[in-house]
Structure formats: C-alpha cells, structure tokens
Amino acid sequence: MSVTLSHPSSCLLLLILLFPGHPSASGTSISDMVNTAARVLNRARRARHSREFLHAHNIARESSGVPPLEWDKGLARFADKWAKQRKPVCNMMHSDGPYGENIFWYRRKKTWSLEKVVTRWFEERFNYDTKTNTCASGEMCGHYTQMVWRATRAVGCARVKCDNGRGYLVVCEYDPPGNYEGESPFDQNTVK
C-alpha cells in the first residue's frame, strides 16, 4: 500500500501522527509546521517540473542532432519572475530580456502537461525549411528553432497559474539565445 501526500495539511497530519510528542516539535506552531511542509512540497514540485522541462527539451534536441541542454536555476528564476509579472492579464508578451525565450498559454491544466507544451514547440519543425532557413508561409517555427539552437547550452522554465481563471502561462529562457536572422539553428559555427 502506498500513500501520496500532495497537500501541506496532509504532510502536517502525518508528522503529528508519527511524532506527537517529539521534542523538536515543542514550541513550534501548527502554522509554522504547515508553512514548512508547503515549502518542502513546493521545492519538490519545482524539482519535478525542472526535470520534466529539461527531459522534453533534450529529447527534442537529440532527435534534431544537437547537444543536450543543462538546467539553469538562474534562467528558471528569470522565467518565473517574468511569468509572475504576466499573471494578472496572462498575455503572451516577451520580456525583451538578455535570453532567448519561448512562451505558451493554455486554458486547462488537465490537457497540457509540461512535456506536451515543449512538444508543441517541437512540432513547429514541420513548419521549418532547413534549405531556406525560413518558416512556411503564415506558420510559426521560431519556438522550435530556439529550442534546438546548437549554441544554446542552458534552459530554465516556469509555469504560473494566471489570475481570475485565465489559464496557465509557461515561459522558458535559453542561454545563449538563438534565432539570429540569417543564421541556421544547426550551424556549427554559431556561437554568440
């Protein structure tokens, strides 16, 4: 039998049941224990999200013949800060920061896993013509080219729930950035 604890109050209940008279718990308020449990769960959630984002990116990069990315906590913080700034209106506006950036919005959490978001960007490969280094007329392919930009070495992403039920916003930051006009994402000599 396995038990999944997904809410801070369930973790607190487990702690109280397992260690009711534990000396380290004396003098600790229930709200402090709930806050600690919430922080632990949030850290675990961020770690799981970072693994999911990185794995999906690296599967796409491997199938495109480019080296894998590393997860960068600084990029993830930048993505999280920008996504949180967009929460009230939940629109897809670029930060104009120093990194490459992909943004995605969706309405329902149940239909969009983090992997599915990255896969949607990767599906833009069908709109990209490697011979002309352009997107098909009227189609997008810049999310794909940023994901697989050969010189890019690191990624950091965040997802936030928008205010007033407006859905979810995903932001990924890439360093070094890609999508330089006139350059192919697959160029060996593309290093900025």
Side-chain angles (χ1 to χ4, degrees), residues 41-53 71:
L41 288 173
N42 282 333
R43 269 190 231 114
R45 179 186 45 80
R46 280 193 305 271
R48 181 175 43 85
H49 285 182
S50 65
R51 286 190 304 272
E52 289 175 23
F53 276 125
W71 185 259

Side-chain angles (χ1 to χ4, degrees), residues 6-83:
S6 60
H7 192 272
S9 61
S10 57
C11 289
L12 176 62
L13 179 60
L14 180 65
L15 288 172
I16 291 170
L17 291 173
L18 292 175
F19 307 103
H22 195 273
S24 65
S26 64
T28 303
S29 71
I30 290 186
S31 66
D32 288 343
M33 291 171 60
V34 168
N35 289 337
T36 299
R39 280 194 303 278
V40 167
L41 288 173
N42 282 333
R43 269 190 231 114
R45 179 186 45 80
R46 280 193 305 271
R48 181 175 43 85
H49 285 182
S50 65
R51 286 190 304 272
E52 289 175 23
F53 276 125
L54 184 62
H55 181 70
H57 275 85
N58 284 337
I59 286 173
R61 289 177 65 88
E62 180 180 16
S63 72
S64 298
V66 294
L69 297 174
E70 296 286 328
W71 185 259
D72 186 294
K73 288 181 182 179
L75 293 174
R77 279 191 296 275
F78 187 93
D80 187 60
K81 184 177 178 183
W82 180 245

